[in-house]
Amino acid sequence: MPAEAMDVALQTSPHDLGLGTTGEARRQIEVCNACRYCEGFCAVFPAITQQKVFTDGDVTQLANLCHNCRGCFYSCQYTAPHEFALNLPKALAEERAESWERFAWPGVFGGLFQRHGVAVAAALIAALAAMFAVVSAARPAGGDGFYAYLSHAGMVAIFAPAFLLPVLAIAIGLRRYWAHVGGAPVTWRALVDAFGSAGRMKNLAGGQGQGCNFEKGDRYSNARRHCHQSVMYGFLLCFASTSSATLLHYVFGLEAPYDFISLPKLLGVPGGLLLVAGGIGLAVLKTRADPALSAARLWGGEMAFVLLLVATGLTGLLLYAATGTAAVPALLAVHLGAVLTLFLLAPYSKMVHGFYRLAALTRDAQLRQTR
Amino acid sequence: MSTPRELAATHWDLVVVGGGNAALCAAIEAAEQGASVVILEGAPEPYRGGNSRHTRNFRCMHHAPLSVLTDAYEEDEYYDDLLRVTKGETDEHLARMTIRASEECLPWMEAHGVRFQPSLSGTLSLSRTNAFFLGGGKALVNAYYNTAEDLGIRVAYEAQVTHVAMNGTRFEAVEADIGGEHVTIAGRAVVLASGGFQGDIEWLARAWGPAARNFLIRGTPYNKGVVLKDMLDQGAESVGDPTQCHAVAIDGRAPKFDGGIATRLDCVPFSVVVNNMGERFYDEGEDVWPKRYAIWGRLVAAQPEQVAYSVIDAKSIDLFMPSLYPPETADTIEGLGQKLGIPGTVFRNTVEAFNAACQPGTFSHNALDGLSTSGIAPEKTNWARPLDTPPFYGYSLRPGVTFTYLGLKVDDGARVSGTTGLFDNVWCAGEMMAGSILGQGYLAGFGMTIGTVFGRKAGQGVAAYLNGNHNNAR
């Protein structure tokens, strides 16, 4: 923010409690900016020090840059019972979740699946039922492997829209985010920086590679960072597996089922294993972490989402293991139901955090590169 | 956690009174030599660590780049820096010993879990002399408590020591209120590291006069000087002047206790500072702010009702570190005076006289620019620009006390002196003896240096005493 634009009317007093989600996050950010002891932990604090007053867009950007590593909380001299009552990981988590609700399209789904694990489970059950119905009722006349139960055309008819519509919804949300935080046109350099940070999960490294204060109180640990990496790369490998199968199908005329020594399997099997192991790890860590340092009302939705990821990977692996057995139709329905749920909920569940995080990292890289 | 009775049933090798940096260094050193140690921390767990919780760096001598520190910072330069702030009120022997010992402390701190980072933004001038803790002092305190836990050191929180039971020159036990129970905890040695008395406003008022009731206590409220007084009453020798303390001018709206670093206000050099009668009383532009920062606590303390107001105009609002509280603003000086509670027209006259005294020249906010006033008293010798561009902004200032300097006299090995010489088995470290070295003024990061050096010496001295080779302890 240029010096001449400094608007002190934006500044709050540290004693002004009850300002609403964005106002509370702003109040806490202002205390951090006057203290600055946490500057070495993650990208949030150096970003804070570049400004003296914070617009709503600035607050949203900082909230989405926060990875909830909690290093700042355990180092903070102003946490409750101190009268400033700082809990920045929680304040930013609340603001973050609320921002995803505001930017969600269509807005009616905004908070539903973020907040309610039950809604995620219900969506899963509905998708499973639909898949069982399709697999048992619309069995094709021919086809190998799982195409014997659901034709390729049938799969495309279901999953092309189930993939493209969420992508559209997320794109609309990201556009809204970018306008809100005042983002500039995206450069290749900023993207490289952002993907580099995400790829190493730099902001969960505690600034010096010692990791987070997530599940062991004020002791540091890299467990969450490693589990998160496992899930992220596992998911990306699974996604690459499916993409490679699509290419083999359409470009090379090679149809499923594929041998173990094939691109879809070589990508998909390790991907599934990473996804399952990392997801279980994250779920366990989540039970050990202090829920008061996050948006507590989102706990159920986040846990349901992690378990949905685990279920997706696990059923995929089981489906492959069951090749040629009578369990295939049931496992196929379950696996496809899980995948369908994951895709459809992506814009309205914790899944969306990855996209907003990348946007925030990109914006942060832009700001660092222009100063 | 142990019950108070379980703690009292043990005859400890070492009882540590206090739970800040110095106490933890002593406990860790002794425990590493095999001593059974209990720490009695007066504060509840979230507030553990005393003023160490509010610190952020450690001033360290070094002959060459060391960890995050650049270049070299030799003993003589360090000692000269100390002489400058204390104006000679120091014990040269102890001071030089502390400075020399600081170099080996830094690797010891890293080995016990403390993480350092390069200097924070806005403090680049300290990258050579001061090593900054990643996450600040509370992160350091957490690291030491984790180390202590791993070493089997027991910690009791909300453990207020009320009396140190001496038998002649020998320590026998402490009496303490722990969680509402009054217990006696016996040990073979004691380390006293429970800080100054700034949390006891009545004591401050006795030392300073009634003005002290208007001071804000920027540091921990748990240092009430109970053990310090108890030891002085029992003939421990004292050092330091009860009216000397680390006091700075902080935002007048800061909490009465425990406001810490965030209450800092950096606008003074660019401002006109008036008291509550609207009169200026000191050269606001004497030097750059970190250098002159520490004197303003005493300057404001000498003003009526111990309050002052730092006033700037729109030209300067973005030139200093962010403030914790938003400024009062108005489009006229009179309007700002009303909002700040400065009655009458004196304030306006002061500003008009100041504006008229400003000389032409080139303003530079990051150097002594020599832009000074002419013909007013007190003059402003740098950054003197007329207050002429609304809106006008004002911040209130009050003295903020971090810690007091009255303490116990110790020898090189941190052992406490009584009227007839050294006590047998009583050591003291940290702010409770820092007045020996820091007789007045303050040097950034030096409190942690004293605490670490003497805490470690106390722990090593205790270990040597317990192992029977007392004379080798020094």
Side-chain angles (χ1 to χ4, degrees):
Chain A
M1 175 169 296
E4 60 274 17
M6 183 167 160
D7 177 7
V8 296
L10 279 171
Q11 208 185 338
T12 53
S13 159
H15 302 295
D16 284 346
L17 303 174
L19 295 166
T21 306
T22 307
E24 172 63 9
R26 177 186 287 115
R27 179 188 80 86
Q28 297 200 24
I29 286 166
E30 286 171 354
V31 178
C32 293
N33 203 19
C35 169
R36 300 193 170 185
Y37 282 10
C38 290
E39 214 171 319
F41 279 122
C42 71
V44 170
F45 297 95
I48 287 175
T49 64
Q50 295 309 308
Q51 288 165 252
K52 292 192 178 152
V53 291
F54 301 88
T55 64
D56 287 2
D58 297 331
V59 173
T60 304
Q61 160 65 13
L62 292 165
N64 279 280
L65 200 53
C66 166
H67 290 54
N68 200 235
C69 86
R70 306 167 177 216
C72 61
F73 178 86
Y74 287 103
S75 293
C76 180
Q77 55 194 311
Y78 298 116
T79 52
H82 193 283
E83 59 196 89
F84 295 165
L86 255 55
N87 184 342
L88 194 67
K90 178 185 163 77
L92 295 185
E94 302 269 11
E95 165 63 20
R96 195 158 59 233
E98 213 173 277
S99 76
W100 302 340
E101 289 172 24
R102 286 200 306 270
F103 300 133
W105 178 86
V108 62
F109 295 130
L112 182 59
F113 301 102
Q114 269 197 69
R115 291 172 182 213
H116 304 293
V118 177
V120 176
L124 177 64
I125 289 165
L128 292 180
M131 281 300 138
F132 271 110
V134 169
V135 168
S136 58
R139 185 164 181 165
D144 287 332
F146 43 71
Y147 292 146
Y149 303 95
L150 180 58
S151 70
H152 185 265
M155 280 200 208
V156 171
I158 294 167
F159 282 94
F163 176 68
L164 294 174
L165 285 175
V167 166
L168 175 69
I170 289 169
I172 291 171
L174 286 177
R175 262 185 76 90
R176 291 173 173 177
Y177 177 84
W178 205 247
H180 183 64
V181 305
V186 177
T187 61
W188 179 247
R189 239 178 104 213
L191 280 178
V192 168
D193 189 302
F195 277 89
S197 290
R200 286 172 292 141
M201 219 53 88
K202 194 175 152 197
N203 286 294
L204 287 182
Q208 300 187 348
Q210 79 279 25
C212 286
N213 296 122
F214 193 75
E215 76 281 5
K216 286 164 75 176
D218 59 24
R219 289 178 191 256
Y220 297 104
S221 153
N222 270 301
R224 178 156 174 259
R225 184 179 174 213
H226 293 151
C227 288
H228 192 295
Q229 295 289 58
S230 177
V231 167
M232 184 177 79
Y233 285 110
F235 179 83
L236 291 175
L237 284 171
C238 291
F239 192 76
S241 162
T242 306
S243 305
S244 70
T246 307
L247 281 179
L248 291 177
H249 185 95
Y250 285 109
V251 180
F252 298 97
L254 297 168
E255 293 191 8
Y258 300 106
D259 294 333
F260 184 74
I261 306 298
S262 68
L263 214 44
K265 290 290 185 279
L266 288 176
L267 293 168
V269 172
L273 291 170
L274 283 171
L275 184 59
V276 171
I280 290 172
L282 281 184
V284 170
L285 294 178
K286 209 165 176 53
T287 63
R288 293 190 188 150
D290 184 348
L293 307 194
S294 188
R297 67 205 158 85
L298 302 184
W299 197 94
E302 290 179 350
M303 188 57 119
F305 170 73
V306 174
L307 295 177
L308 178 61
L309 277 173
V310 171
T312 306
L314 191 61
T315 54
L317 291 170
L318 288 175
L319 180 60
Y320 178 47
T323 303
T325 70
V328 168
L331 281 171
L332 180 66
V334 172
H335 180 60
L336 293 182
V339 174
L340 186 64
T341 311
L342 191 65
F343 280 4
L344 287 176
L345 299 196
Y348 318 108
S349 66
K350 183 66 190 272
M351 186 76 174
V352 81
H353 85 278
F355 298 93
Y356 284 105
R357 194 83 79 214
L358 268 175
L361 288 167
T362 306
R363 177 67 187 139
D364 186 56
Q366 272 186 348
L367 291 169
R368 275 185 285 109
Q369 287 166 2
T370 52
R371 66 177 176 247
Chain B
M1 286 299 288
S2 325
T3 67
R5 275 188 207 153
E6 281 166 351
L7 295 176
T10 309
H11 192 89
W12 299 90
D13 288 335
L14 171 59
V15 178
V16 178
V17 181
N21 170 55
L24 290 158
C25 288
I28 289 167
E29 286 279 5
E32 282 182 339
Q33 300 298 316
S36 65
V37 183
V38 62
I39 291 175
L40 303 176
E41 162 60 296
E45 187 168 358
Y47 283 137
R48 69 184 183 185
N51 282 328
S52 307
R53 195 164 64 90
H54 289 306
T55 64
R56 70 169 160 187
N57 59 53
F58 170 82
R59 186 172 288 252
C60 184
M61 182 189 93
H62 50 108
H63 299 301
L66 176 67
S67 185
V68 295
L69 296 165
T70 55
D71 297 335
Y73 185 47
E74 303 282 359
E75 178 183 333
D76 285 342
E77 186 186 357
Y78 195 149
Y79 184 67
D80 288 346
D81 287 343
L82 180 64
L83 277 187
R84 207 166 298 129
V85 298
T86 58
K87 301 197 165 57
E89 288 294 315
T90 184
D91 177 327
E92 177 166 1
H93 173 71
L94 282 184
R96 285 189 178 274
M97 189 210 74
T98 306
I99 289 167
R100 283 194 295 274
S102 69
E103 187 174 28
E104 67 183 40
C105 283
L106 189 140
W108 184 88
M109 294 163 84
E110 288 182 317
H112 290 84
V114 177
R115 290 178 172 274
F116 293 98
Q117 63 176 351
S119 291
L120 299 167
S121 61
T123 56
L124 288 176
S125 58
L126 297 173
S127 66
R128 187 171 64 89
T129 56
N130 289 53
F132 284 66
F133 314 133
L134 177 68
K138 191 171 169 189
L140 169 137
V141 166
N142 290 343
Y144 283 156
Y145 274 101
N146 286 328
T147 301
E149 185 184 348
D150 294 345
L151 287 167
I153 294 168
R154 302 288 273 278
V155 181
Y157 296 105
E158 298 180 65
Q160 299 278 349
V161 172
T162 54
H163 178 56
V164 179
M166 301 289 298
N167 181 359
T169 57
R170 277 188 59 77
F171 156 79
E172 295 197 325
V174 297
E175 287 179 29
D177 291 319
I178 305 177
E181 270 189 80
H182 192 80
V183 290
T184 301
I185 296 177
R188 295 170 65 195
V190 70
V191 171
L192 306 174
S194 51
F197 64 88
Q198 77 280 351
D200 183 344
I201 302 287
E202 291 310 309
W203 191 343
L204 273 183
R206 283 198 298 278
W208 263 86
R213 291 186 217 281
N214 285 329
F215 293 180
L216 302 175
I217 309 306
R218 198 191 194 192
T220 179
Y222 293 94
N223 289 4
K224 295 183 187 294
V226 175
V227 178
L228 175 62
K229 180 172 187 306
D230 181 62
M231 289 304 291
L232 293 176
D233 288 349
Q234 296 190 71
E237 274 200 80
S238 73
V239 292
D241 172 348
T243 71
Q244 289 296 334
C245 57
H246 177 25
V248 296
I250 61 174
D251 195 304
R253 295 162 289 184
K256 181 69 178 171
F257 291 101
D258 218 27
I261 185 68
T263 59
R264 155 192 29 66
L265 258 185
D266 273 2
C267 53
V268 166
F270 309 119
S271 73
V272 167
V273 177
V274 298
N275 60 21
N276 67 358
M277 298 179 298
E279 295 162 341
R280 289 178 64 241
F281 54 88
Y282 197 81
D283 176 7
E284 303 90 342
E286 187 175 56
D287 205 339
V288 289
W289 189 230
K291 282 199 185 145
R292 302 318 301 158
Y293 185 46
I295 70 164
W296 280 84
R298 287 182 164 267
L299 290 171
V300 175
Q303 297 306 308
E305 293 177 47
Q306 293 68 54
V307 66
Y309 300 94
S310 177
V311 178
I312 58 172
D313 68 1
K315 298 194 296 291
S316 302
I317 187 67
D318 202 27
L319 296 180
F320 49 93
M321 286 275 285
S323 61
L324 182 61
Y325 295 85
E328 293 290 355
T329 80
D331 287 330
T332 63
I333 291 292
E334 290 87 344
L336 187 64
Q338 272 174 13
K339 283 195 171 175
L340 293 173
I342 312 170
T345 56
V346 178
F347 178 37
R348 194 192 62 205
N349 295 341
T350 299
V351 171
E352 281 174 359
F354 174 84
N355 286 354
C358 288
Q359 300 299 304
T362 308
F363 173 82
S364 169
H365 77 276
N366 45 20
L368 293 171
D369 64 0
L371 198 56
S372 59
T373 57
S374 166
I376 53 168
E379 60 175 347
K380 183 175 180 185
T381 51
N382 286 289
W383 310 294
R385 292 193 296 182
L387 292 180
D388 57 9
T389 312
F392 301 101
Y393 302 97
Y395 297 90
S396 62
L397 298 170
R398 281 193 183 277
V401 178
T402 305
F403 70 98
T404 49
Y405 289 177
L406 176 71
L408 302 184
K409 183 172 164 56
V410 296
D411 74 349
D412 283 16
R415 219 142 57 97
V416 178
S417 295
T419 40
T420 58
L422 292 172
F423 289 128
D424 297 348
N425 54 352
V426 180
W427 284 259
C428 178
E431 287 174 1
M432 207 169 169
M433 46 63 64
S436 305
I437 301 168
L438 201 49
Q440 71 170 59
Y442 191 66
L443 189 60
F446 197 50
M448 290 300 278
T449 308
I450 295 172
T452 307
V453 168
F454 280 87
R456 291 189 61 205
K457 282 188 178 293
Q460 291 163 358
V462 167
Y465 167 80
L466 294 171
N467 294 329
N469 47 354
H470 186 198
N471 292 331
N472 299 336
R474 285 166 265 157

